[in-house]
Amino acid sequence: MKKIVILISSRGSNLQALLEANLPCRVAAVISNRADAQGLEIARKHGIQTAVLSHKDFSDRAAFDAALAATVDGYAPDFVVLAGFMRILTAEFVGRYAGRLVNIHPSLLPAYPGIDTHQRALQDGIKIHGCTVHFVTADLDHGPIIIQAAVPVLCDDTPQSLSARVLCEEHRVYPQAVRWLCRNQVWLDKAGRVASDRLEQPGSALISPGLE
Ligand code: GAR
């Protein structure tokens, strides 16, 4: 059975969705860069080993990432799963786990990398927003896309209401992506593209606002 390590920074709702999804893998550990991350308690309740590595204890990003890699490697995971891990990773760290490091981001990438995605989406007046699971590359919030979910933006949305609608979909697509990875049904090919042995299953169009 495959082994994964999950990296978090705070709330841990995606972590919880992953832990409750009955995935075909063992979660070897949950690692946080913050000791007060609520997700640590979620991990403990599920009997998962936890570790805290504060970035504040290191002089620079490279030193933190080297220590993080040493901690991660101690669990010998097949995949490293970023679930709300809010640290920019160095190219060295990302390269070490090429094809084995995935992230979830609350926008339809490549739109809205970075923070405050829901607020920026509302400011721009876009009608469809969503979330993305992708392989991590050295470019922040970029990388080959495994799965996306789209949601309508409603006229009375606030960043909070839109965030909640997107988060519901995050909790559906992230377990799906990790399941595909652990079953070797999706992988990063030599050309750096997402490959899959699955038949394409086109869904229906999301039109927002809806047609009359
Ligand atoms: C999630 O919305 C996730 O997509 C986002 O942080 C939140 C973490 O929530 N990640 C990023 O913005 C990464 N660039 P959670 O701790 O409840 O899973």
Side-chain angles (χ1 to χ4, degrees):
M1 187 180 263
K2 299 270 197 241
K3 257 197 289 180
I4 68 170
V5 163
I6 303 176
L7 270 52
I8 62 165
S9 292
S10 59
R11 184 176 52 186
S13 72
N14 275 291
L15 163 69
Q16 182 157 6
L18 291 165
L19 293 179
E20 290 175 356
N22 200 16
L23 295 172
C25 61
R26 187 163 78 76
V27 181
V30 170
I31 303 173
S32 173
N33 65 310
R34 296 177 55 119
D36 62 354
Q38 294 152 266
L40 288 170
E41 193 48 39
I42 296 170
R44 288 185 202 112
K45 279 194 183 130
H46 281 80
I48 311 284
Q49 210 170 322
T50 61
V52 175
L53 201 66
S54 173
H55 54 279
K56 292 183 183 155
D57 293 341
F58 296 87
S59 54
D60 58 22
R61 206 176 281 285
F64 172 70
D65 278 12
L68 183 61
T71 306
V72 168
D73 289 350
Y75 299 101
D78 295 284
F79 297 103
V80 180
V81 176
L82 307 181
F85 185 68
M86 303 306 276
R87 296 287 305 166
I88 295 173
L89 294 163
T90 55
E92 287 69 28
F93 186 95
V94 171
R96 186 183 190 91
Y97 302 104
R100 302 195 292 131
L101 179 61
V102 291
N103 180 45
I104 188 157
H105 184 75
S107 75
L108 291 173
L109 291 174
Y112 306 112
I115 60 170
D116 298 331
T117 55
H118 310 300
Q119 192 175 327
R120 288 190 281 147
L122 288 174
Q123 269 162 8
D124 287 345
I126 62 167
K127 304 301 181 208
I128 295 175
H129 187 43
C131 58
T132 303
V133 180
H134 63 99
F135 285 104
V136 176
T137 62
D139 292 336
L140 178 67
D141 294 330
H142 277 280
I145 292 171
I146 298 170
I147 186 169
Q148 294 183 301
V151 300
V153 180
L154 306 184
C155 59
D156 56 354
D157 262 333
T158 62
Q160 291 72 30
S161 63
L162 183 54
S163 161
R165 191 173 309 118
V166 171
L167 194 63
C168 276
E169 302 311 314
E170 294 188 36
H171 297 165
R172 297 172 70 202
V173 295
Y174 214 3
Q176 176 67 85
V178 174
R179 187 173 292 119
W180 284 335
L181 288 167
C182 291
R183 287 189 194 144
N184 297 319
Q185 289 180 299
V186 162
W187 62 93
L188 195 64
D189 71 13
K190 289 199 171 67
R193 281 186 302 246
V194 173
S196 163
D197 73 350
R198 304 178 56 254
L199 292 171
E200 292 304 319
Q201 299 282 322
S204 51
L206 171 61
I207 300 176
S208 172
L211 302 176
E212 281 188 348

